[in-house]
Amino acid sequence: MHRRVITFSRNVFLPLTTVCTNACSYCCFKTPVREGCVMTPAAARLTIEAGVKAGCTEALFTFGERPGEVSGFSDHLAALGYGDILDYCYDLCEYAISAGILPHTNAGVLTYGELDRLREVNASMGLMLETTADVPAHRNSPGKDPAVRIAMMEDAGKLRIPFTTGLLIGIGETPADREESLQVIAGLHRRYGHIQEVIIQNFCPKEGTEMGGAATVPTAEFAETITLAREILPSDVAVQIPPNLADAAALIRCGVDDLGGVSPLTIDYVNPEHPWPQIEELKGLLGDACLRERLCIYPGFIRKGWYPKGLAALIRRLQNQIEERSL
């Protein structure tokens, strides 16, 4: 009998800024405009280089949504020589490629034109749907409008961008809302074929936030959602859980295919109180399943050629690198 395979990506996390126009009730990632609110080019390059030396294959670029719309932010960005955070991200993606690591960018809601430009320097991209429901946790977050996020995911499909999305469980949505969210994602993939993975992420209360005293979703309910995801999503879409937030050992058998990006160097800046398990720890969580490393662009999309032609050589080299590591 063949052993079940669970995959993961070895990444390095680069939060270019934590300034954000949204104000979600559960978020501790967002910070005000202040000195040091933008990661400097020197710090970003050092992090990228350290990631390459550590064998990472993915540079995860993320930042708050539309930070340029927050008063005072543009001055800090201008001090680094940039007028737009997306220009800065583009240049750092180019640097990552030159250093030997594949960029994956999650920049919040982007227009079709912005997606089209950034896909030139990214192997894959992403945006969490979170939920199709109108929940109080998002009342001060215009970028979390489900229709806006779904429209961007559709644009990514039109552009043939290998795409990551997901649900955030326990922020006020109902089980019926979760089912609807999964059906929407499945429908987008059936139409465009671009969703490579769907993260099923459990809400973790953060001290000092509006929802800091809220309860997280029970393990049994979380397991039911994972099972539902595996039933609803097409078979070529991976179901992913974050192993630093959830009891992976208890959930693997519910239909989990992937454990996402795990970093040997950087913390999870969105959930800093939850350290990453290291690779050997992950192996111990899987029972009879086999852990296998992957790139941020899944093999099916590599075979289809859904990546910038300038990344072809790097993708081949990094694929060979992880195959040699697995021997």
Side-chain angles (χ1 to χ4, degrees):
M1 293 181 64
H2 294 290
R3 294 175 66 191
R4 187 169 170 216
V5 173
I6 309 294
T7 54
F8 79 101
S9 170
R10 199 181 306 244
N11 78 1
V12 62
F13 196 140
L14 294 104
L16 299 189
T17 185
T18 51
V19 175
C20 183
T21 54
N22 294 328
C24 301
S25 299
Y26 47 78
C27 179
C28 72
F29 181 76
K30 176 178 177 173
T31 59
V33 174
R34 60 191 180 191
E35 194 66 32
C37 66
V38 185
M39 178 180 268
T40 66
R45 289 169 183 156
L46 283 173
T47 302
I48 289 166
E49 291 161 8
V52 171
K53 288 178 183 177
C56 297
T57 60
E58 172 188 356
L60 170 60
F61 292 99
T62 189
F63 39 95
E65 194 160 293
R66 299 290 173 194
E69 295 180 7
V70 179
S71 178
F73 176 78
S74 296
D75 294 337
H76 291 271
L77 195 60
L80 301 179
Y82 289 91
D84 189 317
I85 189 71
L86 298 183
D87 292 339
Y88 184 36
C89 182
Y90 188 100
D91 284 358
L92 287 174
C93 286
E94 284 195 314
Y95 184 80
I97 294 165
S98 70
I101 192 169
L102 293 170
H104 170 97
T105 296
N106 187 330
V109 174
L110 300 173
T111 66
Y112 183 95
E114 290 166 343
L115 277 169
D116 193 23
R117 182 175 181 233
L118 281 177
R119 73 169 175 156
E120 298 172 2
V121 290
N122 276 273
S124 56
M125 296 181 70
L127 177 78
M128 290 287 282
L129 173 59
E130 294 195 9
T131 180
T132 53
D134 182 11
V135 294
H138 289 160
R139 65 181 175 272
N140 295 315
S141 300
K144 295 297 175 75
D145 180 341
V148 172
R149 296 175 93 76
I150 291 167
M152 176 182 149
M153 291 163 61
E154 187 166 17
D155 284 343
K158 293 173 183 176
L159 289 165
R160 302 204 305 176
I161 298 171
F163 208 75
T164 295
T165 188
L167 275 58
L168 185 55
I169 306 301
I171 57 171
E173 82 293 345
T174 67
D177 294 330
R178 296 167 195 163
E179 182 173 357
E180 179 185 69
S181 300
L182 290 166
Q183 292 287 5
V184 165
I185 294 169
L188 285 168
H189 182 70
R190 291 190 181 99
R191 186 172 180 185
Y192 298 106
H194 67 307
I195 307 293
Q196 56 180 7
E197 58 189 8
V198 173
I199 306 167
I200 308 299
Q201 181 173 328
N202 51 316
F203 154 71
C204 296
K206 304 289 190 294
E207 187 176 346
T209 65
E210 190 175 334
M211 291 180 65
T216 190
V217 64
T219 299
E221 190 175 338
F222 190 36
E224 289 171 5
T225 307
I226 295 167
T227 300
L228 183 67
R230 189 61 284 162
E231 291 172 354
I232 290 175
L233 295 170
S235 60
D236 60 335
V237 176
V239 174
Q240 180 187 121
I241 62 168
N244 62 321
L245 305 183
D247 182 1
L251 299 169
I252 287 293
R253 290 181 175 83
C254 298
V256 174
D257 303 296
D258 186 81
L259 298 177
V262 176
S263 181
L265 290 175
T266 52
I267 65 169
D268 179 352
Y269 288 93
V270 178
N271 299 280
E273 75 279 16
H274 294 280
W276 297 113
Q278 293 307 298
I279 309 305
E280 289 306 313
E281 293 179 69
L282 289 180
K283 292 178 181 177
L285 300 174
L286 301 188
D288 295 333
C290 174
L291 185 66
R292 180 179 299 165
E293 189 175 353
R294 61 164 175 82
L295 300 181
C296 61
I297 175 172
Y298 277 52
F301 294 95
I302 296 174
R303 289 192 292 270
K304 289 193 292 185
W306 281 28
Y307 53 83
K309 298 311 174 190
L311 291 186
L314 179 57
I315 287 172
R316 284 195 300 270
R317 178 157 63 84
L318 292 177
Q319 187 63 43
N320 290 336
Q321 179 179 306
I322 63 174
E323 287 173 2
E324 289 171 5
R325 266 203 292 257
S326 66
L327 296 177

